[in-house]
């Protein structure tokens, strides 16, 4: 019979209805081989008549009988011929006749059993026999169809339940299979078979603790059975029993010495962990596949380092597999705890989005991680495909927020592969190159890389870490041609999309209006799935799929947007871009350095940048992360790099208008209005995703922070749903005891004036100061004071100017009404390290001056 392999163990024959005559089950050797290669006629032609006794027998006549289905006559002649001369050729032909007869009888059995089961009340044995035949033939769905009605009854034969449970497993219906085995378990069959299968299916579902319980039940209830031995094997796999148990037993001398000589907190008192070894090897095979092997040893120093105990390996299940070859924790006393299968699981972070179900992560939970322990794991990722069929690349960042003692990168490629190699922020490093047969191996080693010490407003990791970058791409034209080939057929529309486009532009008078309506639809109605470009593959899904599902990642949303714009005659293109958080793009090495895909369109004689993943952006907005970046635009005539603009500060304004009236009792009544544009509007439109009650609580907290004990009386948001206008926030509030007494004098300070100096607290910096974008804030506040008071002192004017920033503030007294003006402008996104001291003094001066009090006195 056909046996089903359950992981690394096999299930045997359980049917009492498969005892055919021994001759019917014998293999027919060479005949079967010829049958597989060329059919029955080919097999028969190989038979030759053996001279000698029995010359009256004719092989050609017997062959004709077999071919025409006269099997009984053929078998009779062959038995007589074999009795006279038992030549191998005659035995083989007899075996073939028996096999065809067996098949003929099986078909007749099926016909008879199918006729019998029409009688639903008296067909129990017939159903079981028919189900057994279908199971042996591998027709599991037919087996289920026949046996399911039988097993629904309480008196169903045990063998029928077992067959059904196995058939469900073989067609991948694990839940149904588990349910049948659980029913069998309640019947308490001998031998522990049902409990074993329940455990195995629980294991398949990654319910490891439950699986362990069932395996242990098998061992305790039937210790002498075959199932007990199989259960013990599964327990050993899940618990990772065996292997090296102490440090002395590690055979690899380098690994043993690394562990033995590992430093600790005395040498690295700022660190949470130390990367003792980080080895990554890439093997590019001749068949355009690749094997990536990762080997890491990490010493945990304290609580901050325990996060390394959750190992995460990302992969694309559509063309990659991950195997954890070794995972263990070396405890401070030198004993070793191996990781069992129950501590490993494969997750689908985007399980709610079927289009991206191939984006997987294998998680390994390391056991007994504590201060002083060392984590070691080796994992292998097999990639069935290369980029562009035969291209590969990698960029290894060599510095992290923990110290790294030894980093080794190995690249093994066919010797004729041409490579481009770039070193970024790294000097005096070159690979060791070895030639063997038709292979070339490159090995880089970097030692004693210090940890990154974080600073406020520092650049992203990709712009500060040293890198080794390797690519087999010839040039950027090759990359763009490959991507265009992936995307070229994905822009096709169906009638549903065309109708939607027509609906969107029905009242649009200009191409800009058409583009605005289409952009707002894609940005707001197509839900963004936040996968970084490349995580779920590089090929966009079809525009029709994205429109139908109403969700997509960056490349998918942009593909739909481009397709809809082209439908109305607007030239539009896909754009690959490396956002600010992904670091600067290095144009002198062609490789996929992008983490995002957006769109561009020609409107009004200029190129307009469109990021549909920004659902609070207007057509004229560019998200801060997309600004001042190198973007590869896929024009029809050929791709080329264009720099996206950095929006000027005056395009990113926040205007504050504040009216305060101080009462005679020292309390204050206030009205504030905030009006935004540009990046400020993009940010504040996000308030629409906050519950109304939460918005009120946020504003109440703001009022209480400015005026302790203050109350929010009224508020309003406007423009949250309008993508093309400003966002306005209006507040009405009161605050008690605003004036502070100092003898006959009254003092107060305007809340929210100036800015804090917390971002420039360091005396010196290692990295530049980097802002998310430019900005312009402007404040005009009026303070009406009580009639019985007059102004005695107002702070003086502040006017500061730097190449990257400027600040101005000024007070005026106009007939008992104090006017305050403030303007704070950030004109550039980066302050160089050499300019930090000047910027530090600039910010500290603003904070000091803003801390001054306004003084009133009685008239």
């Amino acid at each position: 019979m056909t046996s089903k392999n359950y992981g690394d163990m096999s299930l045997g024959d359980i049917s009492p209805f498969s005892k055919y005559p021994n001759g019917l089950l014998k293999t027919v050797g060479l005949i079967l081989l010829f049958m597989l290669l060329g059919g029955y006629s080919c097999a028969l032609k190989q038979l030759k008549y053996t001279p000698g006794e029995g010359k009256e027998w004719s092989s050609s006549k017997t062959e004709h009988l077999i071919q025409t289905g006269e099997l009984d006559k053929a078998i009779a002649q062959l038995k007589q011929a074999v009795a006279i001369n038992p030549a191998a050729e005659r035995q083989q032909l007899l075996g073939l006749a028996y096999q065809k007869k067996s098949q003929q009888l099986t078909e007749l059995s099926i016909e008879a059993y199918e006729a019998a089961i029409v009688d639903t009340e008296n067909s129990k044995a017939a159903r079981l026999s028919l189900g057994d035949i279908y199971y042996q033939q591998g027709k599991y769905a037919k087996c289920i169809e026949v046996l399911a009605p039988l097993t629904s009854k309480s008196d169903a034969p045990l063998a029928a339940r077992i067959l059904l449970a196995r058939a469900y497993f073989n067609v991948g219906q694990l839940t149904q299979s588990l349910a049948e085995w659980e029913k069998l378990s309640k019947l308490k069959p001998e031998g522990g078979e049902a409990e074993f299968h329940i455990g195995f299916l629980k294991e398949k579902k990654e319910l490891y603790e439950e699986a362990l319980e069932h395996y242990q039940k098998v061992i305790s209830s039937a210790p002498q059975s075959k199932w007990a031995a199989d259960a013990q094997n599964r327990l050993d796999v899940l618990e990772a029993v065996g292997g090296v148990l102490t440090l002395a037993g590690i055979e690899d001398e380098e690994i043993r010495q690394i562990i033995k000589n590992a430093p600790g907190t005395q040498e690295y008192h700022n660190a949470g962990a130390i990367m003792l070894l980080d080895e990554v090897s890439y093997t590019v095979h001749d068949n355009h596949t690749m094997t990536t092997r990762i080997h890491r040893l990490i010493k945990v120093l304290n609580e901050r380092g325990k996060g390394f105990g959750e190992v995460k390996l990302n992969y694309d299940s559509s063309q990659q597999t991950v195997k954890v070859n070794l995972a263990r924790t070396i405890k401070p006393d030198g004993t070793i705890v191996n990781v069992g299968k129950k501590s490993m699981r494969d997750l689908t972070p985007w399980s709610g989005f079927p289009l991206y179900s191939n984006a997987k992560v294998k998680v390994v939970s390391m056991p007994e991680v504590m201060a002083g322990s060392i984590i070691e794991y080796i994992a292998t990722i097999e990639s069935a495909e290369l980029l562009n069929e035969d291209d590969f690349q990698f960029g290894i960042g060599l510095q992290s927020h923990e110290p790294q003692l030894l980093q080794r990168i190995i690249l093994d490629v066919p010797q004729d592969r041409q490579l481009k190699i770039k070193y970024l922020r790294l000097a005096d490093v070159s690979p060791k190159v070895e030639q063997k047969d038709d292979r070339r191996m490159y090995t880089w080693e970097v030692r004693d890389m210090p940890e990154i010490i974080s600073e406020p407003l520092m650049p992203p990791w990709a712009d500060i870490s040293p890198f080794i970058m390797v690519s087999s791409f010839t040039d950027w034209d090759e990359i763009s041609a490959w991507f265009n080939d992936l995307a070229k057929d994905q822009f096709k529309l169906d009638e549903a999309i065309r109708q939607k486009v027509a609906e969107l532009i029905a009242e649009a008078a200009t191409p800009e209006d058409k583009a605005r309506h289409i952009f707002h639809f894609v940005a707001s109605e197509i839900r963004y799935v936040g996968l970084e470009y490349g995580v779920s593959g590089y090929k966009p899904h079809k525009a029709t799929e994205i429109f139908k599902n109403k969700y997509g990642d960056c490349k998918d949303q942009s593909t739909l947007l481009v397709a809809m714009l082209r439908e109305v005659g607007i030239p539009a293109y896909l754009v690959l871009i490396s956002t600010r958080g992904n670091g600067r793009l290095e144009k002198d090495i062609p490789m996929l350095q992008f983490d995002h895909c957006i769109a561009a369109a020609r409107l009004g004689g200029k190129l307009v940048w469109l990021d549909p993943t920004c659902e609070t952006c207007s057509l004229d907005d560019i998200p801060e992360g997309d600004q001042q970046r190198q973007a590869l635009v896929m024009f029809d005539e050929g791709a080329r790099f264009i720099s996206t603009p950095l929006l000027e500060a005056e395009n990113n304004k926040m205007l504050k208008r504040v009216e305060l009236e101080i009462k005679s009792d020292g309390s204050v009544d206030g009205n504030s209005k905030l009006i935004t544009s540009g990046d400020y509007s993009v940010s504040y439109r996000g308030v629409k995703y906050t519950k109304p009650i939460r918005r009120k609580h946020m504003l109440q907290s703001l009022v209480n922070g400015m005026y302790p004990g203050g109350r929010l009386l009224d508020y309003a948001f406007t423009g949250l749903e309008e993508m093309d206008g400003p966002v306005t926030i209006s507040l009405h509030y009161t605050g008690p005891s605003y004036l502070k007494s100092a003898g006959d004098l009254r003092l107060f300070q305007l809340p929210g004036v100036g800015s804090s100096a917390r971002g420039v607290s360091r005396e010196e910096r290692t990295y530049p100061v980097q802002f998310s974008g430019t900005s312009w804030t402007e404040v005009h506040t009026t303070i009406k004071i009580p009639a019985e008071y007059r102004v005695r002192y107002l702070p003086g004017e502040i006017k500061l100017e730097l190449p990257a920033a400027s600040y101005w503030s000024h007070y005026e007294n106009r007939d008992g009404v104090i006017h305050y003006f403030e303007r704070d402008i950030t004109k550039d996104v980066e302050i160089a390290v050499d300019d930090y001291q000047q910027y530090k003094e600039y910010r500290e001066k603003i904070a000091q001056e803003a801390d001054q009090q306004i003084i009133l006195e009685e008239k």
Side-chain angles (χ1 to χ4, degrees), residues 381-601:
I381 303 174
E382 298 289 350
S383 301
E385 300 175 4
L386 294 179
L387 300 170
N388 195 25
E389 295 186 1
D390 64 350
D391 280 306
F392 59 90
Q393 64 172 45
F394 62 82
I396 301 290
L398 301 171
Q399 192 174 20
S400 73
H401 291 275
E402 303 293 355
Q404 307 204 60
L405 301 193
L406 173 58
Q407 297 176 82
R408 184 180 293 134
I409 301 123
I410 302 168
L411 175 61
D412 184 351
V413 296
Q415 66 176 0
D416 58 349
R417 290 313 303 260
Q418 299 300 309
L419 302 178
K420 288 183 168 55
I421 302 173
K422 181 178 177 64
Y423 303 104
L424 194 60
R425 295 178 285 275
L426 191 65
D428 302 323
V429 172
S430 60
K432 175 185 175 183
V433 182
E434 299 173 277
Q435 191 86 20
K436 186 176 181 181
D437 298 329
D438 59 348
R439 308 285 299 178
R440 183 180 293 118
M441 183 180 291
Y442 301 79
T443 303
W444 291 266
E445 284 195 358
V446 179
R447 294 180 181 270
D448 300 321
M449 185 66 70
E451 73 262 47
I452 295 171
I453 304 299
S454 296
E455 297 176 349
L457 299 174
M458 67 188 293
W461 170 77
D463 276 340
I464 59 179
S465 172
F467 271 82
I468 296 175
M469 305 171 75
V470 177
S471 174
S472 70
F473 282 104
T474 305
D475 50 35
W476 289 105
D477 289 339
E478 184 182 15
I479 289 177
S480 59
W482 165 70
F483 179 72
N484 277 325
D485 189 58
L486 291 178
K488 65 182 180 182
D489 296 326
Q490 310 303 90
F491 300 105
K492 296 176 182 177
L493 306 184
D494 57 16
E495 190 56 34
I497 301 179
R498 291 191 179 93
Q499 288 179 4
K500 187 62 182 181
V501 169
E503 173 190 324
L504 291 170
I505 66 169
E507 298 181 6
T510 66
E512 287 79 5
D513 287 341
K514 294 177 182 178
R516 196 177 304 279
H517 290 304
I518 292 172
F519 173 76
H520 289 168
F521 167 77
V522 176
S524 60
E525 299 299 327
I526 305 300
R527 191 162 29 125
Y528 174 50
V529 180
L531 280 81
E532 183 177 300
Y533 177 69
V535 169
S536 182
Y538 295 94
K539 183 175 183 176
H541 289 90
K542 294 181 183 296
T544 49
E545 283 186 282
I546 303 308
F547 182 81
K548 178 181 178 181
N549 289 297
K550 295 297 185 292
Y551 68 80
D553 65 6
C554 59
K555 64 184 182 296
D556 294 333
Q557 280 188 289
S558 297
T559 296
L560 177 60
L561 174 61
V562 167
M564 295 176 80
L565 290 172
R566 289 177 178 177
E567 174 69 10
V568 297
I570 296 173
Y573 321 97
L574 290 179
V575 178
L576 297 180
I577 189 171
S578 176
T579 61
R580 192 177 304 281
N582 194 54
R584 293 181 177 87
L585 185 139
E586 304 296 326
K587 288 177 66 176
D588 54 351
I589 179 166
M591 61 187 294
L592 292 167
Q593 303 173 47
F594 314 102
D595 66 330
H596 197 32
C597 181
I598 61 173

Side-chain angles (χ1 to χ4, degrees), residues 244-251 256 334 336:
V244 177
L245 298 178
T246 65
L247 178 59
I250 296 177
E251 295 182 0
R256 194 166 62 249
I336 294 175

Side-chain angles (χ1 to χ4, degrees), residues 71 222 374 835 840:
L71 298 173
I374 293 175
D835 297 327
K840 174 180 170 68

Side-chain angles (χ1 to χ4, degrees), residues 739-769:
L739 290 182
K740 307 300 178 186
S741 298
D744 293 335
L745 302 179
R746 299 294 183 268
L747 293 76
F748 69 93
Q749 182 182 19
L750 288 182
V753 170
S755 61
S756 168
R758 283 177 296 180
V760 292
S761 59
R762 293 172 179 264
E763 290 301 319
E764 56 185 28
R765 286 180 67 102
T766 304
Y767 309 109
V769 175

